[in-house]
Amino acid sequence: MNAEVADRFAGCLLGLAMGATIGAGYAGVAGTDALYEYLEDGRTPGRGGLAESTDDAALAMATARAIVRGGRVEGSHLARAYLEWFCSGGGSIGQSTWLALRRLQRGVPWTEAGDTGRFAAGGAPAARIAPVGLLHAYAEAGMREDVRTCGMITHRNEEAIAGALAVAHIVARAARGALRPAQACAELQ
């Protein structure tokens, strides 16, 4: 891997962690108008500044570590990495993710632990999927299956998986230099 590609990979993960940390303080602010009012009032995210990191960032890093250790996406390795983070005290965490990790803790297989139904249509799989996109930056074959494996551990919902797949494709294209930031934003709209 050349230095430019390594920089893109590192930048992707650093940007993910920074974005999740900054955005965490705005969780629960409903609607665009409410968000603008929140910002105009001079309020800052979190308790007096930057919020603590989120489960999204932590689980993205756990995903990256599991992929590096195993050389591929393996559901049992991802579930173990997620559970290690959860059992270490974790941090802020979404309800569907929390429920799924509790199921894993009780011994439910990773293929059945993920939450289902309309309330499981959350963005957590998309928020932690960047390492899978990076893995497939130069070989997109198998990406769909790897995204499904990663996402279903906490969210067995097709909308959540579809969102994660869209993000993984954008990350893969950007990581190999086939997509510039302005294009990525336009494609997501």
Side-chain angles (χ1 to χ4, degrees), residues 78-90:
L78 290 170
R80 188 175 316 114
Y82 297 170
L83 199 51
E84 286 172 7
W85 170 80
F86 184 65
C87 292
S88 73

Side-chain angles (χ1 to χ4, degrees), residues 136-169:
H136 289 281
Y138 291 95
E140 289 194 26
M143 184 187 310
R144 180 179 302 274
E145 294 79 18
D146 286 350
V147 167
R148 177 170 298 287
T149 296
C150 183
M152 73 183 292
I153 295 170
T154 59
H155 293 69
R156 289 186 299 148
N157 177 287
E158 290 307 312
E159 293 164 294
I161 301 299
L165 183 60
V167 171
H169 275 292

